[in-house]
Amino acid sequence: MVAAGSKCRSCREPAVIDLPRHNANFCAEHLQQLCRRQMQKAIEDYDMFGPNDRILVAVSGGKDSLAVWDMLVEAGYEADGFYVGLGIGDYSDESTRYVTAFAEERGLRLLTVDLRDEYGYDIPTAARATKRVPCSACGMSKRHLFDKAAVDGGYDVVVTGHNLDDEAAVLLGNVLHWDIEYLARQLPVLPAANGFPRKAKPLVRLTERETAAWCLLRGIDYLVEECPIAAGNRHLHHKGVLNSIEKESPSTKSAFYLNFIDNMAPLLADQTAAASGDLSRCVRCGAPTTGETCAFCRLVDKASAHDPVPVELVLGKRGRR
Amino acid sequence: MLVKMRNPKREIEMGGDRTVNHLLDALDLVRESHLVICNGTLVPGDARLADDDVIEIRPVISGGC
């Protein structure tokens, strides 16, 4: 390889990455500085949490969740990890190994829950039992367990690794359907309310190319392979569309999402209030719910009564779509 | 040069003496969706690659729902 001609915008040393949205190139040191500053700006601008708050980071073994955990700990925050074993075949086995190694190597506290061991089901079985797409059962299970772990553990906030690409793709999906209720809730921080813990997304100002570069430069081993069940889903398609636009018009993606938060979200604030009316408590687990029994407990009932479904059967079903 | 790719995992041989951006274009890959690692080091789009380089093209898109 011949050294690149491009220089770091900050120090003029050889660059390791080009970021068209910033119209700039960065060396390893100054890319990390950019990531730190963007995360801290998100935390402060959106009043996500303070230096004394106890943080529970939802980790999956992928780049974003390990990056945000690493960045928070490096910045001096008290942050523990929480991992849910989803039972998605080899993918989940690999995820567990990456998360466990990350925590052990850094001496960090990792809480874990395994769906099959503790609730008697896994995601492929839940998908088959409920006749819904696997990502639906997966997202609902994780959200319930993140909330429960945060409340039970006395944490002030649940942090997830959602990045700018994730949020822009979800926003595109919500706009395409003009789903006002979802649009109103698509905020970088949601306050604690009705028994739910506060939730924050400190990486919303960073693209996933930047979080992946952070991991690479910091020596973080993460699971690069995509969830086999998620492959081909609508969310990934929306990301591809946005990146095609970004290629022709750099910084469009960040303008799309960040201007929505600044200009549009305030106009939808009353919709958020209307959607978060009083909730009752699940008679089974005590979680907030609109009915007598929460959606998670109903899922557990159906999925745990079903014969285990190997992940290959769910993959086959998606592949025929 | 040897080019290692993912999803699915595979390796291909390509002629060197081209930039990273040209390599991505030749493979019909979008820069915003990938990192390029040359001999273990992250490299920008205008880095010029050689015949004896080992390249990893790492996708950065994840499907988190």
Side-chain angles (χ1 to χ4, degrees):
Chain A
M1 178 190 68
V2 177
S6 56
K7 304 291 185 190
C8 174
R9 180 168 78 179
S10 299
C11 67
R12 310 308 299 164
E13 290 294 311
V16 297
I17 193 167
D18 46 321
L19 299 181
R21 78 185 183 105
H22 291 292
N23 193 25
N25 309 298
F26 293 94
C27 69
E29 179 186 341
H30 288 108
L31 177 72
Q32 291 175 69
Q33 183 185 72
L34 173 97
C35 291
R36 293 184 188 103
R37 287 177 174 173
Q38 292 293 329
M39 183 188 76
Q40 200 58 40
K41 180 170 172 56
I43 291 169
E44 291 171 7
D45 284 0
Y46 305 126
D47 196 18
M48 290 183 172
F49 43 79
N52 298 319
D53 282 334
R54 290 185 66 228
I55 299 168
L56 188 64
V57 184
V59 289
S60 66
K63 65 187 189 313
D64 302 305
S65 60
L66 295 184
V68 75
W69 196 6
D70 183 52
M71 291 169 74
L72 289 170
V73 170
E74 191 211 30
Y77 291 99
E78 182 187 346
D80 296 337
F82 180 66
Y83 173 76
V84 180
L86 301 167
I88 306 176
D90 293 344
Y91 173 78
S92 286
D93 295 341
E94 281 285 291
S95 302
T96 305
R97 279 195 284 275
Y98 280 102
V99 170
T100 304
F102 179 92
E104 285 179 353
E105 287 166 9
R106 291 159 181 79
L108 300 175
R109 184 171 185 232
L110 176 67
L111 314 177
T112 62
V113 168
D114 186 88
L115 287 180
R116 174 57 69 186
D117 291 347
E118 299 194 31
Y119 294 95
Y121 75 97
D122 50 47
I123 294 304
T125 304
R128 181 60 59 92
T130 59
K131 299 183 174 64
R132 296 177 66 177
V133 293
C135 295
S136 169
C138 182
M140 198 258 278
S141 300
K142 288 192 291 190
R143 283 191 296 274
H144 175 90
L145 293 170
F146 295 159
D147 292 348
K148 179 177 176 355
V151 171
D152 291 352
Y155 290 91
D156 297 295
V157 58
V158 174
V159 155
T160 56
H162 291 95
N163 56 49
L164 176 58
D165 293 76
D166 294 324
E167 295 304 296
V170 171
L171 178 59
L172 179 61
N174 290 339
V175 166
L176 289 173
H177 293 91
W178 289 117
D179 195 320
I180 300 299
E181 188 180 328
Y182 284 149
L183 282 168
R185 287 201 314 237
Q186 204 192 329
L187 301 170
V189 61
L190 290 172
N194 285 325
F196 292 111
R198 192 185 338 157
K199 293 168 190 167
K201 303 170 182 175
L203 300 188
V204 292
R205 298 186 61 86
L206 290 168
T207 67
E208 48 194 346
R209 189 161 171 263
E210 292 154 9
T211 62
W214 171 275
C215 288
L216 195 67
L217 297 174
R218 296 272 296 174
I220 297 171
D221 278 333
Y222 66 90
L223 184 57
V224 176
E225 274 67 36
E226 185 50 74
C227 171
I229 295 178
N233 72 14
R234 190 181 303 159
H235 185 72
L236 286 171
H237 176 62
H238 289 158
K239 284 186 173 183
V241 169
L242 287 167
N243 279 342
S244 295
I245 297 171
E246 185 78 9
K247 182 180 179 184
E248 301 303 322
S249 183
S251 83
T252 299
K253 195 164 49 184
S254 57
F256 177 55
Y257 174 67
L258 296 174
N259 289 345
F260 164 78
I261 296 300
D262 288 346
N263 301 334
M264 196 66 203
L267 302 179
L268 298 170
D270 57 342
Q271 296 286 332
T272 316
S276 61
D278 285 341
L279 298 173
S280 55
R281 298 288 170 166
C282 173
V283 295
R284 298 265 299 278
C285 72
T289 179
T290 53
E292 191 170 293
T293 306
C294 75
F296 178 75
C297 285
R298 295 198 304 272
L299 173 69
V300 172
D301 282 347
K302 276 189 180 175
S304 63
H306 197 284
D307 288 338
V309 173
V311 65
E312 291 76 16
L313 287 184
V314 181
L315 296 180
K317 189 174 182 180
R318 286 188 72 84
R320 287 197 296 272
R321 290 181 165 192
Chain B
M1 64 184 138
L2 180 66
V3 182
K4 299 180 177 180
M5 303 174 72
R6 308 255 193 165
N7 296 336
K9 268 190 177 178
R10 58 203 187 280
E11 296 183 354
I12 57 173
E13 279 288 346
M14 293 188 71
D17 193 22
R18 62 174 90 203
T19 66
V20 165
N21 283 337
H22 287 145
L23 174 65
L24 291 173
D25 286 345
L27 294 168
D28 198 23
L29 298 174
V30 176
R31 176 172 55 171
E32 185 70 7
S33 306
H34 299 86
L35 292 178
V36 177
I37 302 157
C38 177
N39 304 326
T41 302
L42 186 62
V43 288
D46 67 347
R48 184 159 285 280
L49 306 171
D51 270 334
D52 57 351
D53 284 338
V54 176
I55 309 296
E56 179 190 347
I57 298 180
R58 185 179 293 194
V60 299
I61 304 296
S62 54
C65 299

